[in-house]
């Protein structure tokens, strides 16, 4: 039995998120079905973390165990032939049995995109839409409050698992004005459920001058799950990269 690390890109528009659940189709379910067809038995996969319904991934990482010894290029070809076009395997490589896609991750990058072009139907599933012209410079100023190591209890789901630490480190938070949209980049050692979406909408509200930098600081310092009432729509969110120590060793 060998363990494999896979990188997958997907358009989350048609799915109920990464994790298997009742009454909706998930990314995990579809990939496991493809692996089951290859193996003639069930094969479980473990991801670096879940993404919500409508959220996209450029490079989600998962691992699985298999008795099949196939070259990387053949894994990619075989799996993609069984997967829908909105889920594409980018790479598969054999790793040690100790590798764990979730527990070994040391960092992640998420991007969030906001378009001012609210009448463009081709952006409907791939960017948040907002008719307001956002003050990007002020959004970046407000973002400085959030960079560093903090307890992000105020920016996570109402369902808080007491076993999971809520102190996270954001190493990079940039707000950029692109040609036709605003682009936010979040990099850190990990993110809580809904954290990036809640931070994104908070910064969007600051960009509309509806809240201030001081308001955001108060939200953060409150460490209260009711302190922030903002959460951005999932369509603008992308999981861009998952970092592992072995990636750094190979560079």
């Amino acid at each position: 039995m060998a363990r494999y690390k896979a990188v997958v890109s997907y358009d989350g528009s048609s799915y109920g998120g990464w994790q298997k659940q009742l009454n909706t189709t998930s990314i995990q379910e579809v990939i496991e079905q493809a692996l089951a067809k290859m193996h003639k038995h069930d094969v479980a996969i473990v991801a670096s973390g879940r993404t919500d319904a409508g959220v996209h991934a450029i490079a989600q990482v998962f691992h699985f165990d298999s008795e099949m010894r196939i070259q990387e290029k053949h894994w990619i070809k075989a799996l993609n032939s069984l997967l829908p076009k909105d889920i594409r395997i980018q790479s598969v490589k054999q790793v040690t049995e100790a590798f764990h896609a979730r527990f070994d991750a040391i960092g992640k990058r998420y991007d969030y995109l906001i378009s001012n072009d609210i009448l463009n139907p081709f952006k409907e599933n791939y960017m948040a839409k907002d008719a307001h012209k956002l003050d990007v410079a002020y959004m970046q100023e407000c973002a400085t409050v959030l960079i560093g190591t903090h307890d992000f209890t105020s920016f996570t789901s109402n369902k808080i698992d007491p076993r999971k630490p809520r102190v996270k480190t954001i190493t990079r938070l940039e707000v950029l004005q692109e040609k036709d949209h605003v682009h936010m980049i979040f990099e850190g050692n990990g993110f809580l459920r809904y954290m990036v979406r809640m931070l994104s909408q908070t910064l969007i509200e600051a960009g509309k001058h509806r809240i201030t930098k001081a308001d955001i600081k108060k939200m953060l310092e409150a460490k209260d799950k009711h302190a922030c009432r903002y959460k951005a729509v999932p369509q603008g969110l992308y999981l861009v990269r998952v970092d592992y120590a072995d990636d750094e060793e190979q560079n």
Side-chain angles (χ1 to χ4, degrees), residues 19-182:
Q19 190 173 34
K20 286 193 293 188
Q21 52 199 295
L22 297 175
N23 304 318
T24 187
T25 303
S26 70
I27 309 290
Q28 178 185 7
E29 177 186 356
V30 173
I31 297 174
E32 287 184 345
Q33 287 173 349
L35 284 166
K37 287 180 182 178
M38 291 180 64
H39 289 77
K40 311 302 181 187
H41 61 74
D42 290 344
V43 177
I45 64 176
V46 178
S48 69
R50 68 184 70 177
T51 53
D52 298 322
V55 174
H56 314 293
I58 294 172
Q60 169 70 286
V61 176
F62 66 90
H63 78 254
F64 64 95
D65 296 329
S66 173
E67 67 276 11
M68 300 176 71
R69 299 300 177 102
I70 305 176
Q71 292 182 4
E72 176 178 349
K73 63 181 180 180
H74 297 311
W75 273 117
I76 297 169
K77 184 177 180 180
L79 282 169
N80 283 337
S81 71
L82 296 170
L83 290 168
K85 299 297 184 183
D86 53 5
I87 302 176
R88 298 284 89 186
I89 301 297
Q90 302 296 325
S91 68
V92 180
K93 72 172 183 177
Q94 188 173 344
V95 291
T96 68
E97 292 182 3
F99 175 80
H100 196 285
R102 179 183 173 190
F103 298 135
D104 288 353
I106 59 173
K108 290 183 179 180
R109 170 177 166 172
Y110 285 93
D111 286 17
Y112 197 86
L113 308 179
I114 312 108
S115 174
N116 190 241
D117 188 0
I118 63 171
L119 298 180
N120 189 335
F122 301 106
K123 295 180 179 178
E124 195 66 37
N125 292 326
Y126 306 107
M127 291 189 186
K129 288 185 171 183
D130 201 303
H132 297 81
K133 181 168 177 56
L134 301 176
D135 185 340
V136 172
Y138 188 60
M139 292 170 71
Q140 183 65 70
E141 182 182 338
C142 291
T144 60
V145 171
L146 304 166
I147 296 172
T149 302
H150 306 285
D151 183 326
F152 284 97
T153 299
S154 297
F155 297 96
T156 188
S157 166
N158 285 343
K159 296 179 181 179
I160 296 176
D161 187 337
R163 298 169 298 176
K164 295 181 179 179
R166 296 186 287 278
V167 174
K168 300 293 181 182
T169 301
I170 293 179
T171 55
R172 178 187 181 192
L173 206 177
E174 283 192 69
V175 186
L176 308 170
Q177 179 65 62
E178 305 287 359
K179 182 178 179 181
D180 60 351
H181 64 274
V182 174

Side-chain angles (χ1 to χ4, degrees), residues 184-196:
M184 288 189 272
I185 300 172
F186 297 82
E187 290 185 358
N189 66 351
F191 296 89
L192 304 169
R193 190 175 188 194
Y194 299 137
M195 179 174 159
V196 177

Side-chain angles (χ1 to χ4, degrees), residues 215-226:
D215 292 329
I216 296 173
K217 193 169 187 293
K218 286 179 184 177
M219 285 183 209
L220 181 66
E221 293 173 345
K223 302 175 187 177
D224 180 353
K225 64 183 181 180
H226 302 295

